[in-house]
Amino acid sequence: MTRPTTVRTSLSLLHIAPSVVALLTATVMWSSIGVGGRIVKINLTINAPMGANFTKSFETDDENLRRFNLTQEEVSKGAVHLNSHGEVDEIEVKGMKIPLHLDLRQELESLTYTYLTVNNGSWSVRVRDYKNTTLDDFKDDPLLVPENVTLDWSFTPEFILNPANISVKSGVQEASIHLDNDTLLFQYTQGTVKGGSWVYILPYTGMYLRVFNPYTRQLTLSKYFDTEYFMDKELVENLRNLKKGRIAIITTFYDASGHLESSSRDVLEEFGSFAVQHLNFRDLWAWVWQVGGATLAEGLVTNQKGVQTIPPPLYLSLQIPATDSAERFCKDWPTGGTWEKRKQFCDAYDGYGDLCSCDNPFPTTADVPKMDTWREDIGIMLVVGNRPQYLYRLLRQVLLQPGVNKTQIFVSIDGFHEEPVKLVEIFELKYLVHHPEGQGSPRISRHLRFALFKVLKALDTDKFIVLEEDLLLAPDFYSYMQQTSAILDKDSTVYGASAYSHFSYNHTASDVSRLNRVHSFPAYGWMVKRRFVEETLPKWPPVIVAADWDYWMGTGLVRRGRELIIPEISRTVHAGLTGAHFNGFLTKRRFSNKPLSTDPNARVNITGVQREQYEREILASVNEAELLNITNPYNYTFPRTPGKVYAVFVKMSNEEDDAAFKIIADALSVWNQDARDHHFGLWRIPYYDALMLVIGYPFSKYRRYLKKGYRVIQPNAASMEKFTDNFINDDFYYHGHHTSDYINILGLFDIPKGKEVDHKAGSERSLRNQEFITTSSQSQSTSTLHPVTESQTKLM
């Protein structure tokens, strides 16, 4: 926003001329206005670190300009930046840093921030709109009333009289699982499957997992794994954490081989599958086994020519005898208290690994000693939805962090879901259930608002750490927060500390002690002071605002010019494949090569991010940097000389003008979605053993270091097309079978097609009591499919 203002002032100037080695200082005084010279008006463009530029005008004497050999136009083009208090301290003109005091707090309070709403309208606010608003104004807010929670901890009666009848179907057109008279899965879709070289990947293509308790016949886990990247890793993690003795069933719909990597196939083979190693495009597979025991039935229908053929469906039907109830519960577990709740929880749900282990159950009440970096109790707030296996993984990590005080953990759950609520009760943690508001990003934003309001009363700490359930934590995560908490106490120009750096990759991060100051919003585990929460909550956007909460927190409305502390090597990593903003391909591209600190005793350099010292280091790096003249970033070999500093300038008129930055970031294989995590328009990126500085021009306060004859990278049609192409995911495996595959697969087990395995023949698979394999050489060009009747949400 541009808001012109005029002020008449007398200025004294400090002339600081940078040299190659150091900064040399000399002091002079400008004459007062009206000492014989002509009055001139200077219009300055203020680069506010909260992402808004505006104009401020003042008058001075032209004699002052002549003394410094400056023109009115040159001064008007000077670089002016606000400090965290909304004031100007200096102006940079032709390499000179001249003290200039302008108070712009009123202008900042009048800046308008506008956000898109869910109905494509707009919502606008100003800082001054909240000048007299306090948290007391929200004490009667009905949206802050938590949901009532009633839990049933009774045990499901045993089912001991009749055997269990299981039928499974895997097909291109349909997949289903039935247990006795209950339908555990019924998936089919509409459309046409075409033969030839072109293939349409149907919705809900992939694998379906259903797990049930043989003692109660109750479903304990229901999951869908599509053919995206890393979904096979998610499948393996779920299977590793199943409770011993459960009956697990997998069936495929249309295809399950698309991104089923060899490492995951090996694990599934170790679990007992014979067919998974032979699974190619549009093969049909179904598998039933007892966790930790025998394969009960498995079938494979091979598809002869990959994309050119469509196999007939695979059917499995089997019967499991009634189970001895003596093995239903862990015999050596204690009785009473939360152990009774844990017993009921583990009887009803699955996927929790050592939480439900009979031999080595995870100790939910154990205290971990404090580490030597401990300064204070820091509250930990978990903001979670209905992903209880992720929640357990996070709780387990948090409670193993040295120094964590379990009484200072608070969990906010978005909507009443019995499984995560019961899990939190088992851990005896403080929690509340939020009544969901809105959909998508607004729902997540409003839940965080609720959680922050409630944590102020639930915990009595001065600082709060915010975590979401889909994170992995480094062993020094809490130690990192303890160390950086000292910065929040001493530096008013910093509003928070984040455990995550978007530019932390295996080739850009090596120093575990390094911290950086950035103008950005926090992500994936962050810490702020209580007073920041109290200051921010009254400004929280309503449910109609479509913006993500983190982007909103990155605006000047919230940051107010303050910076965020981030590490060079992240202390968290995003590890969720199901969520509001990610799929497998984006996870692979953005998170597959992220380093995570592994040293539980790591120390960080707090003094290095003190404002003055950090600025001196940045200036020294910029002065030392070798400028790169780059025509096409995608056809350029970036230098990696150890110890060298390089700089490249990219076109950037304001913080939202990020097209050129995204191109250079993409070419460097770092975060390339927007211009976050910068320091006054400068990105400090260690690049292998060198240091790369990316500077936005003319947005950055370091723009004056651009030398004549060097290019400023501009976005063009060719580079933008390359950038877009890099986000097209066409790497899908369409592997077909060779004629010899059928012979080899069948010959592996020396059995006729469709016959039962004779386990007395000395097979290595002695644990399995049924194995089936069928092949198909039928060729079909098209097949009409049924209309959809079951939504995806019902399948999860």
Side-chain angles (χ1 to χ4, degrees):
M1 175 182 179
T2 300
R3 192 178 186 88
T5 309
T6 301
V7 61
R8 291 173 61 91
T9 183
S10 175
L11 305 174
S12 63
L13 288 91
L14 173 66
H15 175 257
I16 305 177
S19 70
V20 177
V21 180
L23 298 179
L24 304 178
T25 306
T27 303
V28 298
M29 295 294 293
W30 266 11
S31 303
S32 300
I33 291 175
V35 183
R38 172 176 67 89
I39 299 300
V40 294
K41 184 176 181 180
I42 305 294
N43 296 316
L44 292 178
T45 299
I46 310 297
N47 299 317
M50 55 278 296
N53 294 346
F54 56 96
T55 299
K56 180 78 171 183
S57 297
F58 71 94
E59 295 176 343
T60 189
D61 194 299
D62 66 352
E63 184 65 28
N64 287 327
L65 301 179
R66 286 193 293 272
R67 292 187 65 185
F68 280 91
N69 195 27
L70 296 174
T71 67
Q72 179 182 4
E73 182 180 12
E74 287 171 337
V75 176
S76 295
K77 291 181 178 179
V80 183
H81 292 268
L82 292 180
N83 62 27
S84 61
H85 304 294
E87 300 171 323
V88 170
D89 295 322
E90 63 185 17
I91 179 174
E92 294 183 28
V93 186
K94 295 177 64 174
M96 295 182 290
K97 299 177 73 174
I98 305 171
L100 169 66
H101 181 73
L102 298 174
D103 188 342
L104 302 175
R105 285 174 291 183
Q106 288 187 351
E107 284 80 3
L108 290 179
E109 290 178 357
S110 300
L111 280 176
T112 299
Y113 299 87
T114 301
Y115 305 89
L116 186 69
T117 62
V118 293
N119 58 1
N120 293 320
S122 62
W123 177 73
S124 298
V125 291
R126 295 165 299 182
V127 174
R128 71 182 186 189
D129 294 338
Y130 304 103
K131 204 162 188 180
N132 299 315
T133 306
T134 68
L135 295 186
D136 288 338
D137 297 322
F138 299 90
K139 62 183 179 181
D140 298 321
D141 186 347
L143 298 174
L144 295 177
V145 177
E147 287 195 7
N148 292 322
V149 173
T150 302
L151 298 174
D152 180 7
W153 291 99
S154 61
F155 290 88
T156 303
E158 293 181 359
F159 206 111
I160 60 176
L161 297 179
N162 302 317
N165 295 291
I166 301 173
S167 62
V168 187
K169 179 180 180 180
S170 171
V172 172
Q173 301 181 9
E174 185 179 292
S176 64
I177 300 174
H178 292 87
L179 172 62
D180 296 329
N181 296 321
D182 294 330
T183 300
L184 305 186
L185 167 71
F186 187 51
Q187 173 60 51
Y188 61 112
T189 191
Q190 63 181 356
T192 301
V193 180
K194 298 182 179 181
S197 60
W198 180 85
V199 174
Y200 173 63
I201 303 301
L202 298 179
Y204 314 144
T205 292
M207 277 181 262
Y208 293 85
L209 170 68
R210 299 294 184 266
V211 183
F212 70 90
N213 186 332
Y215 304 102
T216 63
R217 308 283 170 85
Q218 296 297 302
L219 191 66
T220 57
L221 186 64
S222 178
K223 292 280 188 176
Y224 161 64
F225 305 93
D226 64 19
T227 57
E228 276 278 10
Y229 291 99
F230 295 140
M231 279 300 180
D232 59 333
K233 306 297 189 294
E234 187 106 330
L235 168 67
V236 167
E237 182 177 354
N238 274 266
L239 297 186
R240 289 190 191 281
N241 288 308
L242 296 180
K243 186 171 175 58
K244 186 177 179 180
R246 295 287 200 255
I247 305 301
I249 306 166
I250 283 179
T251 191
T252 62
F253 173 69
Y254 189 79
D255 175 70
S257 67
H259 291 112
L260 185 57
E261 303 288 347
S262 59
S263 58
S264 296
R265 292 175 187 251
D266 291 343
V267 174
L268 293 173
E269 184 180 28
E270 291 174 9
F271 289 161
S273 170
F274 83 90
V276 69
Q277 294 288 11
H278 309 290
L279 200 64
N280 280 358
F281 181 70
R282 220 148 52 189
D283 288 351
L284 304 176
W285 175 41
W287 180 29
V288 184
W289 76 102
Q290 186 174 40
V291 177
T295 286
L296 305 175
E298 186 171 19
L300 175 68
V301 173
T302 53
N303 181 30
Q304 184 184 24
K305 295 182 180 179
V307 299
Q308 300 178 30
T309 53
I310 298 173
L314 163 67
Y315 296 90
L316 288 183
S317 182
L318 65 153
Q319 190 175 84
I320 301 175
T323 308
D324 182 5
S325 61
E327 301 296 325
R328 179 177 175 182
F329 301 111
C330 297
K331 297 177 181 179
D332 297 329
W333 276 13
T335 58
T338 58
W339 282 99
E340 290 301 313
K341 291 183 176 181
R342 192 196 285 215
K343 184 187 296 185
Q344 191 276 344
F345 182 87
C346 292
D347 193 55
Y349 303 110
D350 237 304
Y352 294 96
D354 59 359
L355 180 72
C356 299
S357 168
C358 291
D359 302 323
N360 189 26
F362 180 75
T364 61
T365 58
D367 291 326
V368 182
K370 295 176 181 177
M371 63 294 193
D372 57 5
T373 54
W374 191 92
R375 298 180 67 246
E376 61 186 310
D377 276 333
I378 302 175
I380 301 177
M381 184 178 77
L382 310 186
V383 186
V384 306
N386 188 24
R387 296 183 288 180
Q389 284 79 24
Y390 286 176
L391 173 57
Y392 173 63
R393 182 178 66 187
L394 179 62
L395 285 173
R396 195 179 184 283
Q397 295 177 88
V398 168
L399 292 174
L400 290 176
Q401 295 279 326
V404 166
N405 183 347
K406 185 178 175 181
T407 66
Q408 298 297 342
I409 298 176
F410 170 71
V411 183
S412 182
I413 304 172
D414 194 33
F416 175 67
H417 305 284
E418 187 174 75
E419 192 170 349
V421 171
K422 283 188 171 182
L423 179 63
V424 174
E425 287 227 347
I426 289 172
F427 280 89
E428 300 181 283
L429 300 174
K430 301 181 181 75
Y431 75 92
L432 287 173
V433 176
H434 171 239
H435 183 76
E437 307 168 57
Q439 299 293 326
S441 294
R443 175 170 175 169
I444 298 171
S445 173
R446 297 296 288 181
H447 179 209
L448 180 57
R449 171 186 182 263
F450 170 88
L452 289 171
F453 262 106
K454 296 306 180 183
V455 77
L456 291 172
K457 292 185 178 180
L459 306 181
D460 58 6
T461 57
D462 178 57
K463 302 176 185 70
F464 303 108
I465 296 169
V466 180
L467 293 170
E468 296 170 274
E469 75 258 53
D470 54 2
L471 300 177
L472 295 178
L473 309 183
D476 67 327
F477 167 79
Y478 193 61
S479 174
Y480 167 86
M481 291 300 189
Q482 288 286 343
Q483 295 175 72
T484 54
S485 69
I487 302 172
L488 303 189
D489 287 334
K490 298 176 182 178
D491 192 342
S492 62
T493 67
V494 170
Y495 76 91
S498 183
Y500 184 82
S501 169
H502 287 89
F503 293 91
S504 178
Y505 291 87
N506 289 331
H507 67 293
T508 63
S510 59
D511 187 351
V512 74
S513 68
R514 172 79 192 191
L515 299 174
N516 288 301
R517 297 173 65 103
V518 296
H519 297 111
S520 192
F521 50 78
Y524 305 142
W526 44 280
M527 173 179 62
V528 292
K529 291 178 70 72
R530 175 179 289 268
R531 70 168 178 262
F532 175 83
V533 176
E534 295 170 341
E535 165 197 321
T536 302
L537 279 174
K539 309 172 190 174
W540 209 276
V543 71
I544 61 168
V545 173
D548 293 332
W549 66 265
D550 45 3
Y551 282 89
W552 171 78
M553 283 189 69
T555 65
L557 182 68
V558 178
R559 285 198 303 106
R560 309 298 293 139
R562 294 166 292 190
E563 291 190 282
L564 179 73
I565 300 299
I566 63 172
E568 180 172 301
I569 296 181
S570 295
R571 266 52 174 195
T572 63
V573 65
H574 184 276
L577 298 184
T578 57
H581 301 101
F582 289 102
N583 57 30
F585 175 62
L586 291 178
T587 298
K588 177 179 185 294
R589 183 171 175 82
R590 296 176 183 173
F591 300 107
S592 61
N593 60 343
K594 287 282 193 178
L596 191 67
S597 171
T598 58
D599 182 4
N601 301 310
R603 298 294 186 269
V604 296
N605 182 6
I606 295 176
T607 58
V609 285
Q610 292 177 356
R611 184 172 57 168
E612 294 80 8
Q613 181 167 331
Y614 191 80
E615 185 65 19
R616 284 195 297 269
E617 180 188 346
I618 292 295
L619 287 174
S621 295
V622 177
N623 273 303
E624 178 187 347
E626 175 184 331
L627 296 190
L628 302 179
N629 233 346
I630 302 175
T631 303
N632 180 3
Y634 288 115
N635 189 27
Y636 181 81
T637 301
F638 290 92
R640 308 178 184 179
T641 304
K644 284 278 290 183
V645 182
Y646 303 95
V648 57
F649 285 81
V650 297
K651 187 262 179 185
M652 191 178 193
S653 58
N654 55 63
E655 202 166 35
E656 284 72 42
D657 181 18
D658 58 4
F661 168 78
K662 288 173 16 177
I663 291 167
I664 194 71
D666 194 38
L668 290 168
S669 297
V670 296
W671 174 265
N672 54 22
Q673 292 305 287
D674 49 39
R676 64 183 65 175
D677 286 9
H678 64 84
H679 177 72
F680 292 103
L682 176 145
W683 286 265
R684 183 189 180 279
I685 304 173
Y687 187 71
Y688 295 93
D689 295 321
L691 177 62
M692 191 72 61
L693 305 178
V694 179
I695 303 172
Y697 186 89
F699 171 72
S700 175
K701 67 182 286 186
Y702 307 102
R703 65 190 180 212
R704 63 187 175 87
Y705 288 89
L706 176 63
K707 297 177 182 177
K708 190 173 183 179
Y710 285 86
R711 289 187 179 90
V712 175
I713 293 177
Q714 307 272 348
N716 55 49
S719 59
M720 293 308 297
E721 182 177 0
K722 174 65 175 175
F723 178 81
T724 303
D725 286 344
N726 285 346
F727 282 85
I728 295 177
N729 175 21
D730 56 2
D731 183 16
F732 194 90
Y733 302 145
Y734 295 108
H735 295 246
H737 286 280
H738 299 290
T739 304
S740 59
D741 285 355
Y742 307 115
I743 300 172
N744 293 335
I745 295 172
L746 294 172
L748 282 173
F749 310 105
D750 194 25
I751 56 174
K753 176 172 137 181
K755 296 292 185 178
E756 186 173 339
V757 174
D758 181 3
H759 290 279
K760 297 180 180 180
S763 168
E764 292 182 1
R765 290 166 173 74
S766 57
L767 289 178
R768 303 178 181 137
N769 56 34
Q770 297 178 44
E771 290 181 322
F772 301 89
I773 184 166
T774 61
T775 64
S776 170
S777 60
Q778 301 174 3
S779 177
Q780 301 172 336
S781 60
T782 63
S783 176
T784 303
L785 303 184
H786 299 288
V788 173
T789 59
E790 182 174 335
S791 69
Q792 175 64 13
T793 55
K794 295 180 181 178
L795 297 174
M796 297 301 290

